[in-house]
Amino acid sequence: MKILVCISNVPDTTSKINFTGDNKEFDKNGVQYVINPWDEYALTRAIELKEAKGGSVTVLNVGEADAEPNIRKALAIGADDAIRVNAHPKDAYFVAQQITAVAKEGGYDMILMGKESIDYNGFQVHNMVGEMMGIPSVTPAFKLDMVDDSTARLEREIEGGKEVVEVKLPFVASAQQPMCEPRIPNMRGIMTARTKPLKVVEPAGGEAKSEYVNYSKPEKKSGVKLIDVENAGELIKLLRNEAKVL
């Protein structure tokens, strides 16, 4: 069984975020990047399936050279090899096109990724890949098991409960917690990751369908006002005139 796991290179949530170029570009200076946390669920589950059933796990990233440290981290966690499409991830459609091109050439049985990236929270790529490839897309799944060599069973949240889906290979699925416990690389994994194949390919054409016009930060939170418990009238006045929630 060949599994393709797509990972994104995203800013750590503790990083200070700034914008440049008249708020049209993200400022990477001083920003620490990590593997998208949702993608770590997909990666770990893929490795668990490989260990249980045999096969291989390939990591795919659409990104520039600065993503390679986190690609190597994915290899250290347990992936067998990696592919980097040498292109800036312009938008979800462009990324889906690149994943589709690699997946079609590689003939993978399963394409896994996180339900969304924590930087843009688009929740789009997995469904686009399924549509472009003409195969089922199950999203977002919190459980994934193999029924037999050609069928998988997934569980996903729906309003008021859960849905159990059985699907034939090949298929696309996006992962969320609690699919598994994400792994961290051990020293042996870090050492072996240095020699695992990391193939760099050029993008397979295709243009982005959208562009980011500008970015803005949330407004700074105002100070907290403490109201005496006996002064309900003042509280109502502030809620009506300042907070404007009444």
Side-chain angles (χ1 to χ4, degrees), residues 71-88:
I71 297 174
R72 288 291 178 191
K73 180 181 177 180
L75 293 171
I77 290 171
D80 298 288
D81 62 308
I83 300 170
R84 179 173 68 83
V85 178
N86 187 31
H88 176 69

Side-chain angles (χ1 to χ4, degrees), residues 199-216:
K199 181 181 179 182
V200 180
V201 300
E202 293 305 311
E207 294 295 328
K209 297 295 185 180
S210 61
E211 63 177 331
Y212 299 101
V213 178
N214 61 63
Y215 299 91
S216 62

Side-chain angles (χ1 to χ4, degrees), residues 2-226:
K2 296 177 64 177
I3 305 175
L4 181 67
V5 179
C6 309
I7 64 171
S8 297
N9 195 44
V10 299
D12 192 314
T13 53
T14 61
S15 298
K16 186 176 181 180
I17 303 301
N18 290 300
F19 305 106
T20 60
D22 197 26
N23 289 330
K24 293 182 179 180
E25 296 179 5
F26 177 69
D27 186 1
K28 294 184 177 182
N29 291 323
V31 175
Q32 178 70 34
Y33 281 81
V34 297
I35 298 174
N36 179 46
W38 296 116
D39 297 335
E40 290 186 323
Y41 288 100
L43 174 61
T44 299
R45 188 62 186 134
I47 294 167
E48 291 174 349
L49 289 173
K50 180 193 75 169
E51 292 170 347
K53 302 290 185 178
S56 63
V57 175
T58 298
V59 167
L60 171 62
N61 171 260
V62 180
E64 297 168 309
D66 58 2
E68 292 196 2
N70 279 323
I71 297 174
R72 288 291 178 191
K73 180 181 177 180
L75 293 171
I77 290 171
D80 298 288
D81 62 308
I83 300 170
R84 179 173 68 83
V85 178
N86 187 31
H88 176 69
K90 303 171 186 176
D91 73 349
Y93 188 83
F94 177 81
V95 171
Q97 286 181 309
Q98 307 312 312
I99 294 172
T100 299
V102 171
K104 285 183 175 180
E105 182 177 344
Y108 296 95
D109 300 296
M110 195 182 302
I111 304 168
L112 303 179
M113 62 191 77
K115 69 173 186 176
E116 59 189 351
S117 62
I118 63 169
D119 48 2
Y120 290 103
N121 300 104
F123 202 85
Q124 300 177 74
V125 173
H126 34 74
N127 289 323
M128 289 182 179
V129 172
E131 180 68 21
M132 291 176 181
M133 295 194 66
I135 59 177
S137 176
V138 183
T139 61
F142 62 82
K143 190 173 183 180
L144 167 60
D145 294 299
M146 294 301 298
V147 176
D148 53 42
D149 291 340
S150 63
T151 307
R153 179 181 290 119
L154 302 96
E155 295 183 16
R156 62 179 182 178
E157 287 182 291
I158 59 174
E159 187 174 354
K162 69 178 182 180
E163 182 178 70
V164 180
V165 180
E166 287 193 0
V167 61
K168 294 289 186 181
L169 278 59
F171 66 90
V172 181
S174 67
Q176 67 172 21
Q177 65 185 94
M179 181 172 281
C180 57
E181 184 66 31
R183 296 184 180 183
I184 58 174
N186 56 33
M187 184 55 66
R188 180 181 179 184
I190 293 171
M191 297 300 292
T192 57
R194 297 177 181 178
T195 59
K196 289 181 178 179
L198 197 172
K199 181 181 179 182
V200 180
V201 300
E202 293 305 311
E207 294 295 328
K209 297 295 185 180
S210 61
E211 63 177 331
Y212 299 101
V213 178
N214 61 63
Y215 299 91
S216 62
K217 295 182 180 181
E219 293 184 7
K220 292 184 178 180
K221 294 182 179 179
S222 59
V224 176
K225 292 185 178 181
L226 299 178

